[in-house]
């Protein structure tokens, strides 16, 4: 009963005629997704899909964040207690939620008025409408943590223009609202002071046909200019460098560019790559490249295999070490193993993409069957 | 299954697929909510040639061609082959331009040339500092390389070779890259030294300067618009006493000293020519493989289409039936799918034996590659036509690829050796092997003929379903057919020779048996590759499905071959059993059809829009 209460309070629900407004309510943890929040969101989404009186779902966060990510600290505690499977359950539930949102037959509007990172992107980018504001800060910071951009990021990052997806996924670069809109991660941009009015207008939607919500959003949306130093203005360099076959070649290409022009952005990019976990970089690159050629369901199945190998820690223990250095001890000085990119061999990378051989039973992620959906229901950028 | 089929370098393939989908150079377009990349065949010939080169520069800048000539060994070669295959899946023109530059020009320098040529040319080729082409074919001579008429003499005073085109039929023709871009070429020519024709040799000649102007004493004309491959600038070349330095003779097999003496380690001119031509096997290997990928694109499209398109009801007021639920539609596509699978394993096996080649295996590789190149390219043309018909009117739209690919890939049945000529080489090689083993009273070894050392297989008179699907039975039939045809062929040739005909004329007159034999040999070799792949699999669903595919390959090959009845290997009843079994297999493969084509590993964006939501792709909102 107490757990029920907890999950119910971590996700607030409001009903306004045909619209359901879900608010992530863990502001002290920047709305990081707990296991209970994920279960609750999944339960609600599936119920709303069956309920004909529900036409539209709005998702937002309380406080200054939309959602800063998944509750990885809890997962690391499970690993340390020898319980990697508990962590795996967390991720499998999270990925199923991501899949349901990506294949949802009703429009979901996520209001990204603040930090949206990692798992926060998972519960928003797959939805049909993503509203950025001047407060939005997006990132996929997993490679600094010894993880990899999961939650179906291999699907949506790979579909960003050129090789921007590799850039965002490998460097953990932060994007603001204007950048999210320009590259397609966000569908609309609305100044935060107009959000209340927007929500009120959305609540008058009487049909699950997305054109109604789209018309309302189009009336509110603006086209803010990209900031002068935006990475998105450097797409030519990004495409030249992040198209390379391997991580090592990406870094060499960036270093060659740096010799041609002294540029703070290039140096910062190289630095973030050199500080990230070598194992993470290599599996992330391959994940994004494979994801480019796969549907969202296949991407999540593949990512689930990868995350299980990360949790098991047999090839590398960087996830535990990354969380220690960044989240727990906060010394920001992780000791990666393997330490250098060259030591992360192709055969080691390959292991992350295979099924998990376990004495107990391990199964590939089982996605729920979804009804035959029209093309519009499938998330696209 | 994708791993099995692609065989090697999956990550490299995915990288190139990604490079192409993310760039603006590959004609990216959206249809029905999905992204597709395929060349715009509606562009003019000039535009297509230009964009093809731009695409190659893009791949070059991304380091795709690194090490293609400067690295050696099976791993490096397999990687090259994989990357070339992906280029071909996107556009045959791209892979031909790349293939001519690296595999024809580049490999000629590498394998016909010696150290001085490697040092001067290989790195520059890899970096596209020079753009190479390959002037072998002439207006009057294609398959018969030894008959070419370009003549080269040697001038000892200036230590130069002089190349000339003595008559119009000697003009070089179909030289890919020559019309617009190439700066250098390999020239094949008869070499006359001191009045003696030493046979065909290869030279390097520059045909354009770095600014793109044609060099003196060379004339170049365009071959003009083609039924396909208009991204390749094929040219015609005349040499007007062009002088090249003595060092430009590619001298791995033979040389000319500075005072004009011809020297060669191989005394016999036939053997010399054979050694000379051995490196050209790579062409047959890449063509065989790319033909099967083209068939895969066609089948993936046609089968996916047939799983969403409906036509006619079979009950009053009932829903229209899915195309692939019709037995006749299954019969049109599923056997071709099975053959494509079997041939895919054959192409992979050919690549493997090629990259691991030794001088001892060269002869066998020559025979097998000739057979595979012919059978696989013919299969592709047949498959594309059937797929075009199977998707109905949509196949007429260029953008839907299936029909367009026919024109793009047709040349594969002709270049690198006309298929009919190559198949004759197969039968001649088998003849020579047979005669030689019988004369020396030695057991058969090599070319898969070992089964001839055992007793003649006896086929059961009753053919049940399980017999027909049994791999031992299938092997026995193929062995029996090959053995019997080889014996008949050699016997008929011997008879004709006995009546005073020359061996060559006897071959020509026995051409029908020769054709049957060549086909039997090749089909058996293909069967062996899919059996080997199946045997390596652990028990499970993949192995089971592959077994069904293998049986379908075998039985459809038998059903389509008149030899079985003509020479009495099977009775009329048996042939009926085979036919019925094929129909049964169609029904059993039907549920696996989508998985089987998905396992080709070709990304959705490289297929046709009709393979997906073709209604959405044609909606008014997209006009």
């Amino acid at each position: 009963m107490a757990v029920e209460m907890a999950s119910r309070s971590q996700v607030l629900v409001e009903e306004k005629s045909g619209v359901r407004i879900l608010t992530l309510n863990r502001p002290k943890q920047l709305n990081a997704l707990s296991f209970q929040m994920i279960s609750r969101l999944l339960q609600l989404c599936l119920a709303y899909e069956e309920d004909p009186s529900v036409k539209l779902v709005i998702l937002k966060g309380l406080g200054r964040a939309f959602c800063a990510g998944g509750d990885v600290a809890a997962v690391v505690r499970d690993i340390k207690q020898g319980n990697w499977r508990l962590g795996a359950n967390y991720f499998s539930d999270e990925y199923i939620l991501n899949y349901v949102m990506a294949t949802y037959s009703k429009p979901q509007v996520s209001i990204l008025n603040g930090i949206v990172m990692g798992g926060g992107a998972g519960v928003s980018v797959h939805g049909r409408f993503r509203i950025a504001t001047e407060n939005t800060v997006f990132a996929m910071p997993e490679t600094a943590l010894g993880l990899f951009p999961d939650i179906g990021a291999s699907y949506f990052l790979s579909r960003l223009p050129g090789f921007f997806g590799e850039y965002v996924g490998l460097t953990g670069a932060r994007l603001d609202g204007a950048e999210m809109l320009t590259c397609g991660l966000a569908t609309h941009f609305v100044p935060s002071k107009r959000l209340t009015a927007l929500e009120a207008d959305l609540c008058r939607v009487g049909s699950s046909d997305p054109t109604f919500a789209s018309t309302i959003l189009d009336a509110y949306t603006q086209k803010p200019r990209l900031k002068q130093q935006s990475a998105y203005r450097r797409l030519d360099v990004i495409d030249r460098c992040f198209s390379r076959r391997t991580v090592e070649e990406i870094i060499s290409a960036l270093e060659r560019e740096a010799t041609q022009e002294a540029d703070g952005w290039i140096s910062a990019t190289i630095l973030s790559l050199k500080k990230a976990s070598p194992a993470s970089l290599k599996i992330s690159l391959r994940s994004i490249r494979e994801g480019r050629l796969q549907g969202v369901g296949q991407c999540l199945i593949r990512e689930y295999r990868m995350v299980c190998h990360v949790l098991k820690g047999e090839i590398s223990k960087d996830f535990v070490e990354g969380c220690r250095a960044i989240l727990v001890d906060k010394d920001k000085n992780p000791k990666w193993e393997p330490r250098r990119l060259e030591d992360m061999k192709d055969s080691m990378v390959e292991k992350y993409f295979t099924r998990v051989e376990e004495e107990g039973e391990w199964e590939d992620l089982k996605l729920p069957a979804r009804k035959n959906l029209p093309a519009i229901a499938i998330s696209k950028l | 299954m994708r791993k099995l089929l692609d065989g090697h370098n999956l990550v490299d393939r995915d990288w190139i697929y990604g490079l192409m989908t993310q760039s603006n150079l590959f004609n990216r377009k959206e249809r029905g909510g999905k992204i597709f990349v395929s060349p715009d065949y509606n562009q003019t010939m000039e535009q297509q040639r230009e964009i093809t080169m731009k695409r190659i520069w893009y791949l070059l800048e991304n380091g795709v061609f690194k090490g293609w000539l400067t690295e050696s060994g099976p791993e490096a070669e397999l990687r090259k082959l994989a990357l070339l295959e992906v280029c071909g899946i996107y556009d045959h023109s791209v892979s031909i331009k790349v293939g001519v530059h690296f595999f024809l020009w580049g490999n000629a320098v590498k394998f016909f040339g010696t150290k001085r040529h490697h040092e001067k040319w290989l790195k520059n080729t890899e970096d596209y500092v020079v753009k190479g082409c390959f002037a072998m074919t002439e207006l009057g001579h294609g398959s018969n390389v030894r008959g070419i008429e370009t003549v080269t003499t040697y001038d000892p005073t200036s230590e130069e070779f002089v190349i000339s085109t003595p008559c119009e039929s000697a003009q070089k023709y179909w030289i890919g890259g020559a019309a617009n871009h190439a700066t250098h070429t390999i020239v094949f020519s008869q070499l006359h030294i001191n009045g003696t024709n030493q046979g065909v040799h290869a030279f390097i000649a520059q045909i354009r300067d770095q600014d793109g102007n044609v060099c003196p004493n060379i004339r170049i004309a365009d071959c003009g618009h083609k039924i396909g491959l208009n991204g390749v600038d094929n040219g015609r070349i005349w040499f007007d006493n062009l002088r090249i330095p003595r060092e430009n003779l590619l001298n791995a097999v033979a040389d000319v000293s500075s005072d004009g003496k011809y020297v060669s380690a191989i005394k016999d001119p036939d053997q010399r020519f054979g050694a000379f031509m051995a490196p050209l096997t790579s062409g047959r290997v890449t063509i065989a493989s790319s033909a099967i990928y083209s068939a895969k694109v066609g089948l993936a499209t046609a089968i996916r289409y047939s799983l969403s398109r409906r036509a006619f009801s079979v009950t009053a007021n009932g829903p229209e039936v899915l195309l692939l639920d019709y037995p006749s539609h299954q019969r049109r596509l599923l056997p071709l799918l099975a053959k494509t699978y079997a041939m895919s394993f054959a192409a992979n096996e050919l690549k493997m034996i090629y990259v691991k080649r030794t001088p001892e295996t060269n002869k066998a590789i020559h025979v097998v590659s000739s057979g595979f190149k012919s059978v696989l390219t013919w299969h592709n043309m047949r498959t594309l036509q059937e797929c075009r018909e199977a998707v109905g009117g949509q196949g007429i739209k260029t953008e839907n690829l299936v029909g367009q690919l026919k024109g793009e890939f047709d040349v594969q049945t002709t270049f690198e050796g006309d298929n009919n000529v190559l198949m004759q080489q197969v039968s001649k090689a088998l003849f020579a092997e047979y005669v030689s083993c019988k004369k020396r009273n030695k057991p058969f070894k090599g070319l898969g003929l070992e089964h001839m050392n055992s007793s003649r297989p006896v086929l059961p008179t009753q053919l049940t379903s399980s017999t027909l699907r049994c791999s031992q039975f299938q092997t026995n039939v193929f062995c029996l057919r090959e053995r019997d045809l080889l014996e008949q062929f050699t016997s008929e040739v011997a008879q004709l020779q006995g009546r005073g005909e020359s061996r060559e004329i006897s071959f020509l007159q026995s051409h029908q048996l020769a054709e049957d034999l060549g086909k039997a040999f090749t089909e058996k070799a293909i069967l062996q590759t899919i059996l080997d792949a199946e045997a390596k699999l652990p028990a499970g669903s993949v192995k089971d499905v592959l077994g069904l595919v293998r049986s379908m390959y075998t039985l459809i090959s038998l059903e389509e071959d008149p030899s079985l009845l003509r020479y009495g290997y099977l009775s009329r009843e048996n042939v009926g059993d085979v036919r019925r079994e094929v129909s049964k297999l169609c029904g059993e493969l039907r549920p696996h059809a989508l998985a089987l084509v998905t396992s080709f590993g070709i990304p959705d964006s490289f297929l046709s829009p009709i393979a997906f939501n073709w209604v959405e792709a044609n909606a008014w909102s997209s006009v």
Side-chain angles (χ1 to χ4, degrees):
Chain A
M1 186 61 179
V3 169
E4 258 273 290
M5 291 285 290
S7 70
R8 277 178 191 277
S9 70
Q10 287 175 8
V11 179
L12 304 173
V13 179
E14 290 169 72
E15 291 188 15
K16 294 211 174 138
S17 67
V19 174
R20 300 291 177 272
I21 305 174
L22 307 181
T23 306
L24 303 175
N25 181 27
R26 268 179 98 209
K28 287 216 188 69
Q29 288 81 21
L30 299 178
N31 298 323
L33 294 172
S34 65
F35 191 82
Q36 295 93 322
M37 286 163 88
I38 289 175
S39 307
R40 182 75 174 126
L41 283 169
L42 187 56
Q43 180 189 46
L44 289 166
C45 283
L46 290 172
Y48 293 157
E49 219 173 16
E50 299 302 313
D51 181 350
S53 67
V54 177
K55 313 294 183 195
L56 182 90
V57 178
I58 296 177
L59 183 61
K60 56 187 192 175
L62 195 67
R64 63 184 184 90
F66 168 76
C67 170
D71 205 351
V72 286
V75 171
V76 171
R77 276 197 298 277
D78 292 332
I79 298 178
K80 289 207 154 125
Q81 285 162 11
N83 242 327
W84 73 267
R85 282 175 171 281
L86 275 185
N89 287 345
Y90 172 89
F91 285 109
S92 79
D93 276 17
E94 187 184 20
Y95 297 174
I96 289 175
L97 173 61
N98 299 147
Y99 182 68
V100 167
M101 287 176 162
T103 54
Y104 212 54
S105 54
K106 298 182 183 178
Q108 172 190 336
V109 179
S110 301
I111 311 222
L112 311 174
N113 189 26
I115 297 168
V116 50
M117 296 186 181
V123 297
S124 57
V125 174
H126 292 295
R128 182 150 180 94
F129 299 111
R130 290 89 61 187
I131 319 303
T133 74
E134 77 281 3
N135 297 321
T136 306
V137 179
F138 170 95
M140 298 299 295
E142 289 83 2
T143 54
L145 277 175
L147 185 53
F148 63 92
D150 60 339
I151 50 89
S154 61
Y155 178 80
F156 62 72
L157 288 181
S158 60
R159 284 156 174 79
L160 295 179
F163 297 90
F164 196 61
E166 274 92 330
Y167 165 72
V168 170
L170 293 182
T171 63
R174 293 180 171 207
L175 305 177
D176 63 23
E179 289 165 320
M180 278 191 86
L181 182 69
T182 313
C183 75
L185 281 169
T187 55
H188 300 82
F189 182 100
V190 176
S192 59
K193 61 184 195 294
R194 300 216 66 206
L195 288 178
T196 317
L198 171 64
E199 216 176 277
D201 275 344
L202 283 172
C203 288
R204 289 189 275 132
V205 154
S207 158
S208 59
D209 179 340
T211 38
F212 290 93
S214 188
T215 312
I216 296 172
L217 289 166
D218 288 349
Y220 276 82
T221 197
Q222 293 181 355
K223 208 165 181 321
R225 287 194 77 227
L226 288 175
K227 61 183 191 249
Q228 202 49 39
Q229 342 86 285
S230 169
Y232 204 73
R233 291 186 187 272
R234 315 303 303 278
L235 255 191
D236 56 330
V237 179
I238 289 176
D239 282 351
R240 273 200 298 278
C241 300
F242 284 86
S243 60
R244 297 303 182 152
R245 196 171 69 93
T246 63
V247 179
E248 290 92 333
E249 286 168 281
I250 291 175
I251 295 180
S252 312
L254 284 165
E255 285 170 339
R256 263 199 307 280
E257 297 277 341
T259 61
Q260 269 147 34
E261 45 165 321
D263 187 307
W265 171 78
I266 298 184
S267 338
T269 302
I270 296 174
L271 193 63
S272 50
L273 290 175
K274 290 202 160 155
K275 282 174 71 174
S277 147
S280 291
L281 286 176
K282 290 206 173 183
I283 66 177
S284 300
L285 182 64
R286 180 158 156 186
S287 180
I288 292 171
R289 298 254 163 103
E290 272 191 33
R292 186 163 278 141
L293 310 169
Q294 295 175 316
V296 67
Q298 286 172 289
C299 286
L300 288 164
I301 290 173
R302 175 175 37 72
E303 289 173 5
Y304 181 66
R305 288 186 183 182
M306 291 168 70
V307 84
C308 286
H309 284 290
V310 167
L311 295 173
K312 286 188 74 180
E314 281 173 353
I315 309 153
S316 164
K317 298 190 186 337
D318 282 357
F319 181 47
V320 172
E321 171 61 10
C323 289
R324 178 205 69 73
I326 311 286
L327 301 175
V328 180
D329 296 343
K330 302 201 177 153
D331 57 48
K332 305 220 176 133
N333 194 13
K335 307 264 183 297
W336 303 124
E337 192 54 53
R339 200 170 52 82
R340 303 172 310 163
L341 284 167
E342 313 83 89
D343 298 326
M344 185 65 187
K345 306 277 178 221
D346 287 347
S347 54
M348 294 158 73
V349 173
E350 177 69 35
K351 286 210 179 84
Y352 283 87
F353 293 82
T354 58
R355 296 174 48 87
V356 174
E357 304 303 328
E358 266 293 288
E359 325 78 44
E361 283 145 21
W362 180 90
E363 280 183 332
D364 266 323
L365 186 68
K366 271 208 165 46
L367 296 173
R370 306 291 282 152
K371 293 186 207 118
N372 236 337
L373 301 164
I376 53 159
I378 299 179
S379 102
K380 52 181 190 267
L381 289 161
Chain B
M1 185 70 98
R2 185 212 166 177
K3 247 179 155 159
L4 261 188
L5 282 174
D6 269 341
H8 58 100
N9 298 95
L10 268 62
V11 174
D12 290 316
R13 292 170 197 268
D14 286 349
W15 173 52
I16 307 278
Y17 285 134
L19 277 183
M20 292 181 175
T21 39
Q22 297 308 105
S23 159
N24 289 325
L25 287 172
F26 292 83
N27 194 32
R28 213 177 121 103
K29 51 193 182 283
E30 194 194 300
R31 295 282 181 270
K34 281 177 88 84
I35 299 291
F36 292 95
V37 281
S38 69
D40 181 0
Y41 295 108
N42 195 27
Q43 288 182 312
T44 65
M45 183 173 82
E46 287 73 22
Q47 287 170 324
Q48 287 188 55
R49 290 174 175 188
E50 208 188 298
I51 191 76
T52 300
M53 272 325 291
K54 286 206 173 107
R55 288 167 180 155
I56 294 176
W57 297 147
Y58 169 76
L59 296 175
L60 174 71
E61 274 156 28
N62 273 287
V64 172
F65 306 124
K66 213 158 58 113
W68 276 39
L69 290 169
T70 51
E71 283 172 23
S72 298
E75 260 176 48
E77 294 222 34
L78 281 177
R79 191 166 156 259
K80 265 164 64 174
L81 293 172
L83 298 175
L84 187 71
E85 278 162 14
V86 175
C87 289
I89 289 169
Y90 173 71
D91 182 17
H92 199 201
S93 292
V94 171
S95 69
I96 294 286
K97 284 284 276 186
V98 169
V100 165
H101 177 79
F102 284 99
F103 286 81
L104 293 181
W105 156 268
N107 273 1
V109 171
K110 193 165 178 175
F111 296 115
F112 297 155
T114 52
K115 188 151 174 272
R116 64 170 188 256
H117 302 113
H118 301 168
E119 282 169 3
K120 190 165 178 192
W121 303 105
L122 287 183
K123 188 83 180 58
N124 282 344
T125 301
E126 226 176 76
D127 297 336
Y128 263 99
V129 170
V130 301
K131 304 187 207 53
C133 64
F134 194 78
M136 178 187 260
T137 295
E138 295 175 1
L139 177 57
H141 290 83
S143 293
N144 182 16
V145 177
R146 284 180 98 164
I148 59 176
E149 298 176 278
T150 306
V151 164
T152 299
T153 55
Y154 182 67
D155 181 351
T157 46
S158 58
E159 294 194 27
E160 289 172 319
F161 285 106
V162 185
I163 307 180
S164 69
T165 303
C167 52
E168 288 294 2
S169 56
Q171 69 184 262
K172 294 298 181 188
Y173 215 105
W174 294 125
I175 311 308
N180 291 6
H181 302 122
T183 59
H184 289 75
T185 184
I186 309 287
V187 184
F188 283 77
S189 164
Q190 305 290 350
L191 178 59
H192 290 195
I193 298 288
N194 295 327
T196 309
N197 183 0
Q198 294 291 355
V200 174
H201 290 73
F203 306 83
I204 291 180
Q206 181 166 4
I207 56 175
R208 279 191 183 80
D209 61 27
Q210 289 299 338
D211 300 320
N213 304 311
V214 177
C215 292
N217 300 97
I218 294 182
R219 288 174 279 148
I220 294 182
D222 205 306
C223 289
H225 193 263
K226 304 187 288 287
I227 62 171
L229 286 182
N230 283 305
V232 182
D233 54 320
N234 295 93
R236 302 143 69 188
I237 310 177
W238 290 256
F239 301 97
D240 301 319
N241 294 318
L242 173 75
R243 289 176 162 266
I244 57 172
R246 184 178 71 86
E247 294 72 40
N248 279 22
L249 166 64
L250 291 170
N251 61 336
V253 171
D255 206 345
V256 173
S257 64
S258 53
D259 61 339
K261 267 209 251 329
Y262 182 78
V263 282
S264 174
I266 305 179
K267 294 297 164 219
D268 176 62
D270 293 335
Q271 267 188 33
R272 198 188 308 142
F273 183 72
F276 192 47
M277 297 307 254
L280 294 179
T281 316
S282 71
R284 288 194 290 278
V285 174
T286 57
I287 292 168
S289 190
S290 90
I292 291 307
Y293 276 106
S294 161
K296 287 177 179 175
V297 170
L299 282 168
T301 299
I303 286 179
R304 281 175 154 278
Y305 183 73
S306 71
L307 288 169
S308 61
R309 177 60 148 96
R310 296 172 179 275
F312 295 104
S313 321
V314 289
T315 54
N317 303 323
E320 293 186 79
V321 178
L322 269 184
L323 294 184
L324 201 59
D325 283 333
Y326 284 105
S328 58
H329 208 84
Q330 291 170 7
R331 179 73 175 75
R332 287 163 70 187
L333 295 179
L334 297 178
L336 291 176
L337 177 62
K339 281 181 149 183
T340 303
Y341 257 75
M343 293 177 189
S344 181
F345 290 113
N348 283 350
E349 179 61 20
L350 181 60
K351 277 187 277 179
M352 291 303 160
I353 61 182
Y354 172 71
V355 300
K356 298 194 185 121
R357 64 194 177 281
T358 63
E360 293 79 48
T361 57
N362 269 336
K363 186 176 100 175
I365 295 178
H366 178 90
V367 178
V368 171
S369 65
S370 300
F372 281 6
K373 184 266 193 193
S374 308
V375 168
L376 272 55
T377 54
W378 269 327
H379 169 75
N380 180 34
M381 294 311 296
R382 182 177 162 208
T383 300
L384 288 174
Q385 178 63 26
E386 192 66 62
C387 288
R388 203 299 295 149
E389 291 183 36
V391 302
Q394 289 299 323
I396 303 297
K397 242 178 115 150
T398 305
E399 189 181 86
N400 287 335
L401 288 186
V402 171
Q404 179 71 24
L405 289 178
K406 292 194 298 169
E408 296 295 316
F409 282 88
D410 201 344
V411 71
Q412 288 194 323
T413 56
T414 293
F415 69 6
E416 297 289 319
D418 174 273
N419 281 3
N420 299 285
V421 173
L422 290 181
M423 288 303 268
Q424 282 176 37
Q425 299 208 345
V426 171
S427 56
K428 283 186 187 172
L430 292 172
F431 177 93
E433 189 70 17
Y434 185 88
V435 162
S436 150
C437 285
K438 286 296 176 196
K439 198 149 73 168
R440 295 174 305 149
N441 212 359
K442 286 253 183 283
F444 289 97
K445 192 160 146 44
L447 292 181
L449 292 173
E450 288 82 354
H451 64 96
M452 313 254 304
N453 299 327
S454 331
S455 53
R456 205 182 182 78
V458 173
L459 301 176
T461 42
Q462 298 277 54
L463 293 183
T464 62
S465 193
S466 58
T467 310
L468 285 168
R469 298 188 188 199
C470 164
S471 60
Q472 189 57 58
F473 166 77
Q474 293 169 0
T475 312
N476 284 349
V477 183
F478 275 45
C479 285
L480 175 62
R481 178 173 64 168
E482 181 183 78
R483 176 189 211 129
D484 189 71
L485 285 170
L486 182 52
E487 286 168 358
Q488 280 194 56
F489 178 58
T490 47
S491 155
E492 186 170 297
V493 169
Q495 266 182 42
L496 288 165
Q497 283 181 286
R499 283 192 239 135
E501 297 283 12
S502 74
R503 198 210 275 208
E504 282 308 316
I505 300 291
S506 308
F507 276 142
L508 295 184
Q509 296 193 340
S510 311
H511 72 93
Q512 288 180 309
L513 273 173
E515 276 164 36
D516 293 342
L517 171 61
K519 194 158 96 102
F521 168 83
T522 309
E523 287 186 353
K524 180 171 136 280
I526 293 170
L527 175 62
Q528 196 55 53
T529 65
I530 186 171
L531 279 171
D532 289 343
E534 198 187 332
K536 289 197 190 110
L537 287 173
S541 56
V542 175
K543 187 175 180 129
D544 293 341
V545 173
L546 198 56
L548 285 180
V549 169
R550 181 252 308 154
S551 288
M552 175 65 103
Y553 166 72
T554 314
L555 296 177
I556 192 68
S557 304
L558 294 178
E559 197 202 299
E560 290 175 345
D561 187 4
S563 301
L564 291 240
L565 265 182
R566 180 184 290 130
Y567 303 119
Y569 310 136
L570 295 181
S571 69
R572 278 178 61 190
E573 252 163 49
N574 293 155
V575 163
D577 294 328
V578 168
R579 188 172 233 222
R580 268 185 297 278
E581 198 64 23
V582 168
S583 298
K584 259 174 91 180
L585 279 168
C586 282
E588 289 177 44
L589 281 174
R590 155 74 179 88
H592 300 288
L594 182 58
L596 285 170
V597 299
T598 308
S599 300
F600 289 154
I602 299 172
D604 292 355
S605 46
F606 287 77
L607 296 178
S608 153
I610 59 171
F612 305 99
N613 191 339
W614 42 270
V615 176
E616 185 77 18
N618 282 293
W620 176 249
S621 47
S622 65
V623 168

